[in-house]
Amino acid sequence: MTRARRYLEAQGSTVRDVGATESYDLDATRPGERLHVEVKGTTSAGAEVVLTRNEVLLNADRYPHTVLVVVRDVELDRTTTPPRAGGGRTRVVHPWAVAGRTSRPSPTATASDGRRGTGTGRRSGWDRRLVG
Protein backbone atom coordinates (compact mmCIF):
# COMPACT_ATOMS: atom_id res chain seq x y z
CA MET A 1 0.00 0.00 0.00
CA THR A 2 2.84 2.37 0.81
CA ARG A 3 4.42 1.96 -2.64
CA ALA A 4 1.09 2.54 -4.37
CA ARG A 5 0.40 5.64 -2.28
CA ARG A 6 3.85 7.09 -2.99
CA TYR A 7 3.50 6.46 -6.73
CA LEU A 8 0.06 8.08 -6.91
CA GLU A 9 1.13 11.08 -4.84
CA ALA A 10 4.15 11.55 -7.10
CA GLN A 11 1.67 11.71 -10.01
CA GLY A 12 -0.07 14.63 -8.28
CA SER A 13 -2.92 12.78 -6.61
CA THR A 14 -4.45 13.14 -3.21
CA VAL A 15 -4.73 9.58 -1.87
CA ARG A 16 -7.07 8.16 0.78
CA ASP A 17 -6.98 4.62 2.16
CA VAL A 18 -10.56 3.34 1.83
CA GLY A 19 -9.87 -0.39 2.19
CA ALA A 20 -11.73 -0.67 5.50
CA THR A 21 -15.00 0.63 4.03
CA GLU A 22 -14.87 -0.03 0.26
CA SER A 23 -14.16 -3.01 -2.01
CA TYR A 24 -10.99 -1.34 -3.29
CA ASP A 25 -7.90 -0.07 -1.50
CA LEU A 26 -7.18 3.55 -2.39
CA ASP A 27 -9.10 6.54 -3.68
CA ALA A 28 -6.85 8.75 -5.82
CA THR A 29 -8.02 12.16 -6.95
CA ARG A 30 -6.50 14.96 -8.93
CA PRO A 31 -8.24 17.82 -10.75
CA GLY A 32 -11.00 16.40 -12.93
CA GLU A 33 -10.23 12.75 -12.17
CA ARG A 34 -11.08 10.19 -9.51
CA LEU A 35 -9.56 6.73 -9.63
CA HIS A 36 -10.37 3.54 -7.76
CA VAL A 37 -7.12 1.74 -6.99
CA GLU A 38 -6.70 -1.96 -6.24
CA VAL A 39 -3.35 -2.99 -4.72
CA LYS A 40 -2.07 -6.58 -4.85
CA GLY A 41 1.18 -8.05 -3.56
CA THR A 42 2.68 -11.35 -4.69
CA THR A 43 5.87 -13.35 -4.42
CA SER A 44 5.34 -14.47 -8.04
CA ALA A 45 6.12 -12.58 -11.26
CA GLY A 46 2.64 -11.06 -10.95
CA ALA A 47 1.34 -11.97 -14.42
CA GLU A 48 -2.02 -12.74 -12.81
CA VAL A 49 -3.58 -11.83 -9.47
CA VAL A 50 -6.65 -13.17 -7.69
CA LEU A 51 -9.61 -10.81 -7.31
CA THR A 52 -12.69 -11.09 -5.13
CA ARG A 53 -16.19 -10.92 -6.59
CA ASN A 54 -16.62 -7.37 -5.27
CA GLU A 55 -13.34 -6.27 -6.89
CA VAL A 56 -14.53 -7.68 -10.23
CA LEU A 57 -17.91 -5.93 -9.92
CA LEU A 58 -16.26 -2.63 -9.02
CA ASN A 59 -13.93 -2.92 -12.02
CA ALA A 60 -16.88 -3.50 -14.35
CA ASP A 61 -18.80 -0.58 -12.84
CA ARG A 62 -15.98 1.99 -12.66
CA TYR A 63 -13.87 1.11 -15.70
CA PRO A 64 -11.87 3.00 -17.08
CA HIS A 65 -11.43 4.87 -13.80
CA THR A 66 -9.59 1.93 -12.26
CA VAL A 67 -5.93 1.40 -11.48
CA LEU A 68 -4.25 -1.89 -10.59
CA VAL A 69 -0.99 -1.71 -8.65
CA VAL A 70 0.84 -5.03 -8.41
CA VAL A 71 3.91 -5.33 -6.20
CA ARG A 72 5.54 -8.46 -7.61
CA ASP A 73 8.58 -10.57 -6.77
CA VAL A 74 8.13 -9.74 -3.09
CA GLU A 75 10.56 -11.52 -0.77
CA LEU A 76 9.08 -12.93 2.43
CA ASP A 77 11.12 -13.40 5.56
CA ARG A 78 9.29 -16.26 7.23
CA THR A 79 11.68 -16.34 10.19
CA THR A 80 9.64 -13.57 11.83
CA THR A 81 6.08 -13.64 13.13
CA PRO A 82 4.23 -12.38 11.24
CA PRO A 83 6.33 -12.86 8.08
CA ARG A 84 7.96 -9.65 6.87
CA ALA A 85 7.70 -8.54 3.23
CA GLY A 86 10.50 -6.75 1.41
CA GLY A 87 11.87 -6.01 -2.02
CA GLY A 88 9.69 -6.44 -5.03
CA ARG A 89 8.92 -4.41 -8.13
CA THR A 90 5.84 -2.30 -8.70
CA ARG A 91 3.74 -2.43 -11.85
CA VAL A 92 0.97 0.12 -12.41
CA VAL A 93 -1.78 -0.64 -14.94
CA HIS A 94 -4.32 2.04 -15.94
CA PRO A 95 -6.89 1.52 -17.05
CA TRP A 96 -7.19 -2.16 -16.30
CA ALA A 97 -9.90 -4.63 -17.18
CA VAL A 98 -10.56 -8.02 -15.69
CA ALA A 99 -9.48 -10.76 -18.11
CA GLY A 100 -12.43 -12.77 -19.40
CA ARG A 101 -14.98 -10.37 -17.90
CA THR A 102 -18.50 -11.81 -17.87
CA SER A 103 -21.86 -10.61 -16.62
CA ARG A 104 -21.66 -13.11 -13.74
CA PRO A 105 -18.25 -12.99 -12.10
CA SER A 106 -17.10 -16.01 -10.17
CA PRO A 107 -16.17 -15.69 -6.48
CA THR A 108 -12.61 -15.10 -7.64
CA ALA A 109 -11.18 -14.08 -10.98
CA THR A 110 -7.82 -13.10 -12.37
CA ALA A 111 -6.56 -9.82 -13.72
CA SER A 112 -3.83 -9.77 -16.29
CA ASP A 113 -0.99 -7.32 -15.92
CA GLY A 114 -1.58 -6.03 -19.44
CA ARG A 115 1.30 -7.88 -21.09
CA ARG A 116 -1.12 -10.30 -22.75
CA GLY A 117 -3.23 -7.65 -24.41
CA THR A 118 -6.19 -7.73 -22.04
CA GLY A 119 -5.96 -4.04 -21.25
CA THR A 120 -7.18 -1.33 -23.58
CA GLY A 121 -3.72 -0.01 -24.26
CA ARG A 122 -5.02 3.54 -23.75
CA ARG A 123 -2.31 5.78 -22.42
CA SER A 124 -2.78 8.70 -20.11
CA GLY A 125 -0.88 10.40 -17.33
CA TRP A 126 -1.34 7.09 -15.52
CA ASP A 127 0.11 4.88 -18.21
CA ARG A 128 1.26 1.37 -17.50
CA ARG A 129 4.88 1.11 -16.49
CA LEU A 130 7.23 -0.57 -14.12
CA VAL A 131 8.29 1.66 -11.27
CA GLY A 132 10.29 1.16 -8.12
Side-chain angles (χ1 to χ4, degrees):
M1 295 283 280
T2 301
R3 283 184 180 212
R5 176 183 289 278
R6 285 183 189 151
Y7 173 80
L8 294 163
E9 289 173 345
Q11 301 300 308
S13 290
T14 299
V15 181
R16 282 185 316 124
D17 184 337
V18 295
T21 59
E22 301 290 344
S23 62
Y24 59 101
D25 297 308
L26 302 172
D27 214 37
T29 57
R30 59 185 183 183
E33 187 170 38
R34 177 181 178 202
L35 297 171
H36 303 79
V37 183
E38 184 59 39
V39 181
K40 297 291 183 181
T42 181
T43 57
S44 75
E48 293 183 343
V49 294
V50 176
L51 301 170
T52 67
R53 180 178 189 278
N54 285 340
E55 291 165 347
V56 172
L57 291 172
L58 179 84
N59 180 263
D61 185 52
R62 303 296 168 96
Y63 181 87
H65 306 285
T66 54
V67 177
L68 176 65
V69 178
V70 179
V71 181
R72 62 185 179 91
D73 299 318
V74 173
E75 298 170 6
L76 283 182
D77 178 359
R78 291 185 171 94
T79 64
T80 65
T81 304
R84 184 167 258 194
R89 294 191 57 154
T90 305
R91 183 169 181 84
V92 178
V93 183
H94 174 262
W96 68 282
V98 175
R101 197 185 314 181
T102 66
S103 60
R104 293 180 166 263
S106 63
T108 60
T110 59
S112 170
D113 67 2
R115 288 183 269 190
R116 295 187 186 163
T118 58
T120 66
R122 181 176 80 87
R123 296 230 174 226
S124 71
W126 300 83
D127 41 339
R128 314 180 277 213
R129 68 187 96 177
L130 286 171
V131 295

